[in-house]
Amino acid sequence: MTHPRTTPATPGAETMGPATPATGDAPARAGTGREANADPPDAESRQVAPDAQGTALGRTPPAELRGRLTARLDAAARAWLHRALDEATDHPGTHGPISVWELRIAEAGRRCGPEYADAARVLILHAARADTDALTRVYFQGTAAERRAVLHALPHLVPGPQALPLVEDALRTNDTRLLAAAVGPYAARHLDAHQWRHAVLKCLFTGVSVDTVADLDRRAHRDAELARMLGDYAAERTAAGRPVPEDLHRVLTLTDPTATPPAPAAERGTRGTRGTDGTDGKES
């Protein structure tokens, strides 16, 4: 049985919120005791204001993210987060059917407030040093909110492409907040050109802002195939009497082979994204 969230929303919390309203959380993992700790289904979806944070959590180093988050939590939530991170650090493996840190991930929204839950879950996953197997388990057995956290955590925890099946799964959904999390820095590094182009089109089709697509400038530059796909999509929309998304024209401009190439990553930083406290984020 789930319990109602008791932590009140914090003023100004929209700067920490995920990208767009979710379509609903999946049922919590059954038969493990997780249900008693889990947040109410879709509680976070109802209470978080839309914001373009799809890439910020993946780009902000965990130590910096922790400092920003603890500065915004009230005393009770801050104490809970410290305990949860200590538990994850001291007991990263599973004990019985489920690990302690997985239970803490399940209750993060209720303890920290839905506007800060994604950041808290990313920190817990990092403290637990979750490997690809653990991340896969949490992703497929968790709610939509927990799946988002896994996607946000991938750049911090998985150096290679072995977690791409999680990104690919998220890109098959129509949950816009999950899609925004899926096109973060990990996808920018590891999706091949074909998959990445279709991810961009999926964002346009579902209304996810391309601001959430990490490294968009670099990957779209001089991409003639992406330009063709965007042109075809625009033509289909026009023929059907539907408006063409403004973001489509923006991405199409980036594909121009005569445009100035984007700056190297070290110089570009995180231009176009916002950090979890409203300042420019940093690449992790």
Side-chain angles (χ1 to χ4, degrees), residues 211-223:
D211 285 338
T212 64
V213 180
D215 216 5
L216 176 66
D217 291 14
R218 180 186 65 82
R219 293 212 57 169
H221 184 63
R222 301 176 66 93
D223 190 334

Side-chain angles (χ1 to χ4, degrees), residues 2-5 25 37-46 106 109-110 143:
T2 59
H3 301 287
R5 186 180 68 87
D25 285 358
N37 289 27
D39 297 324
D42 209 28
E44 297 175 32
S45 303
R46 292 194 302 269
R110 178 161 49 90
T143 65

Side-chain angles (χ1 to χ4, degrees), residues 12 23 43 105 137 206-207 215 219 222 238 243 265 270 272 279:
T23 57
I105 284 177
R137 182 177 69 251
T206 57
D215 216 5
R219 293 212 57 169
R222 301 176 66 93
T238 301
T270 54
T279 61

Side-chain angles (χ1 to χ4, degrees), residues 137-222:
R137 182 177 69 251
V138 172
Y139 180 90
F140 283 111
Q141 296 180 342
T143 65
E146 293 163 26
R147 292 183 178 199
R148 283 199 312 273
V150 169
L151 295 169
H152 289 315
L154 291 180
H156 305 304
L157 294 169
V158 185
Q162 55 267 41
L164 272 178
L166 306 185
V167 174
E168 293 164 355
D169 179 83
L171 291 174
R172 288 192 290 268
T173 75
N174 288 318
D175 181 331
T176 53
R177 293 174 72 188
L178 201 61
L179 289 171
V183 292
Y186 188 82
R189 295 173 192 168
H190 299 296
L191 280 180
D192 64 31
H194 176 77
Q195 292 174 309
W196 186 82
R197 293 178 188 124
H198 281 277
V200 173
L201 284 175
K202 185 68 174 276
C203 288
L204 294 171
F205 180 77
T206 57
V208 173
S209 171
V210 296
D211 285 338
T212 64
V213 180
D215 216 5
L216 176 66
D217 291 14
R218 180 186 65 82
R219 293 212 57 169
H221 184 63
R222 301 176 66 93

Side-chain angles (χ1 to χ4, degrees), residues 10 12 20 38 41 53 64 80-81 100 115 117 119 149 152 163 169 200 244 248-249 251 264:
T10 305
T20 49
Q53 295 299 323
E64 183 177 341
W80 177 87
L81 179 65
V100 173
E115 62 274 23
H152 289 315
D169 179 83
V200 173
V244 177
L248 185 146
H249 298 293
V251 180

